[in-house]
Amino acid sequence: MRADRLVSLVLLLRQHGRLSATALARELEVSTRTVLRDIEALSAAGVPVYAERGRHGGFALLPGFRTELTGLNHDEALALLVAGSRRGAQAFGLGSALASAMLKVVDALPESYRDTAAGAAERLLIDPETDLLSRRLVAEEVPDAIAAEVLRAVFAGHKLQIHYAAVDQTPKWRTVDPIGLVTVRDQGYLLAMRSGADRTYRLSRVLAAKELAEPAQRPDRVDLDRTWQERSTRFRTGGDQVTVLVRVDPARREDLVGTALAVRAEEADSDGWLRLEVTFQDPRHAEWALWQLTTDAEALAPQWLRNCLCNRAAAIAARYGASS
């Protein structure tokens, strides 16, 4: 909306002091012509914005044009800025709104807190895009239009139609009663009910969404944390899950546990390795997880898993051992 863009333009000038039309257009994701029209509208509305000519010119506000957000202490301001660095909002299509909100918070902070809080926030990194091994942690993308439609239905308490692509199934339209949204490791999930049964949908698999006018059949209040825990427990204890006995190098324990659904037992062997009983979603999941650990882990049982890993290793050896 133009009103939001005008506010963001003023706040950008407040924070940076002076910016060219090109820089403002890049920040606001509009054309320079749109920026010039917005500058003209602000001037007509009495906002003291003026142009500076020359090589380093641009647009600026007269000094002292600001408002202050009172009542925040330094730690509260720091908490807001750090929260604004998290990537979870991307899963719900709120990334641009979060960035705009943080810009407003920084601009409105009392001057005594602004510089110190912003400087401290620069020294805290939450959820970086890569880990220590330079493995890129890719957040699932959800189109803004889909995320916005889902959010509207959740907040308004209306039924929602989604075109959903379940794993290994043809996409189908479903009408659901949305309960809430959850983000886990940058993956967004819609918690809903369908024909009275609990359902959980991965937002990245929603191909299209449409809010309906009909009220959703759902509780007036919900404890999302408890609901998510209950559904997670049911997920871990259902389906074609398999339990595997594994020996693993302690240095790779977290890699194993991070891919498993649950750890049912754990003890140390005499040679320092760990013996774990872990659960995977299905046989393919178990084979994949153990293969990633190469010689740093050994599947002790069941035998079919040992056979699968042996056959895969033999196939690799044959491929690279063959003469050219």
Side-chain angles (χ1 to χ4, degrees):
M1 294 177 62
R2 192 185 187 196
D4 291 336
R5 190 175 69 243
L6 293 177
V7 171
S8 295
L9 194 156
V10 171
L11 293 175
L12 284 168
L13 294 178
R14 277 292 314 147
Q15 187 170 348
H16 295 281
R18 180 175 62 248
L19 288 172
S20 67
T22 301
L24 286 168
R26 184 172 56 251
E27 291 287 342
L28 298 172
E29 299 181 348
V30 296
S31 66
T32 53
R33 181 175 297 181
T34 297
V35 168
L36 295 176
R37 286 200 298 264
D38 287 348
I39 292 291
E40 184 178 344
L42 288 173
S43 296
V47 177
V49 58
Y50 65 95
E52 291 187 352
R53 307 291 182 183
R55 180 180 178 185
H56 301 292
F59 295 99
L61 294 169
L62 289 178
F65 183 77
R66 67 171 291 104
T67 59
E68 287 194 349
L69 179 64
T70 59
L72 283 180
N73 60 38
H74 176 270
D75 289 342
E76 291 170 337
L78 177 59
L80 283 175
L81 293 176
V82 171
S85 71
R86 297 187 64 88
R87 295 183 288 129
Q90 300 294 341
F92 300 145
L94 295 174
S96 59
L98 180 60
S100 175
M102 289 302 103
L103 184 64
K104 294 176 183 179
V105 168
V106 171
D107 183 77
L109 286 174
E111 188 172 357
S112 59
Y113 293 151
R114 197 183 322 133
D115 293 338
T116 56
E122 291 176 352
R123 300 182 182 277
L124 299 173
L125 177 61
I126 309 297
D127 290 339
E129 293 187 356
T130 58
D131 63 14
L132 286 174
L133 299 179
S134 296
R135 294 176 299 195
R136 187 170 180 81
L137 309 176
V138 181
E140 294 184 340
E141 296 293 333
V142 179
D144 290 345
I146 293 177
E149 200 73 13
V150 173
L151 281 170
R152 281 195 292 269
V154 170
F155 294 154
H158 291 166
K159 287 184 178 293
L160 177 71
Q161 278 189 339
I162 57 174
H163 194 213
Y164 191 73
V167 178
D168 298 328
Q169 294 184 24
T170 302
K172 297 179 181 178
W173 282 98
R174 297 168 167 83
T175 299
V176 301
D177 298 297
I179 294 176
L181 293 164
V182 176
T183 177
V184 180
R185 297 178 182 175
D186 292 329
Q187 295 176 355
Y189 296 90
L190 168 67
L191 273 58
M193 299 187 70
R194 183 172 174 231
S195 300
D198 292 342
R199 293 289 185 268
T200 301
Y201 301 99
R202 198 157 170 168
L203 288 182
S204 61
R205 294 177 182 154
V206 177
L207 306 180
K210 180 180 179 181
E211 177 193 4
L212 303 179
E214 184 181 352
Q217 300 298 314
R218 66 181 191 180
D220 292 334
R221 300 184 64 85
V222 63
D223 184 340
L224 270 187
D225 186 54
R226 180 178 178 181
T227 301
W228 177 255
Q229 293 295 333
E230 291 174 348
R231 296 195 181 189
S232 297
T233 299
R234 287 200 298 270
F235 176 80
R236 289 194 300 268
T237 56
D240 301 322
Q241 295 177 2
V242 295
T243 299
V244 177
L245 182 60
V246 183
R247 268 174 39 88
V248 63
D249 185 329
R252 303 298 303 276
R253 179 191 181 280
E254 294 307 314
D255 293 329
L256 172 65
V257 172
T259 60
L261 293 179
V263 177
R264 299 185 177 276
E266 179 176 352
E267 63 181 3
D269 274 351
S270 58
D271 60 358
W273 275 38
L274 301 174
R275 186 178 294 246
L276 286 82
E277 186 178 336
V278 293
T279 300
F280 293 101
Q281 183 60 32
D282 53 39
R284 186 173 60 176
H285 180 198
E287 181 182 351
W288 173 87
L290 270 295
W291 182 257
Q292 306 308 306
L293 297 176
T294 63
T295 58
D296 291 329
E298 178 187 1
L300 301 178
Q303 186 60 43
W304 63 259
L305 179 56
R306 292 178 59 87
N307 294 340
C308 288
L309 294 170
C310 180
N311 293 338
R312 179 180 284 204
I316 292 291
R319 171 64 59 85
Y320 290 101
S323 58
S324 57

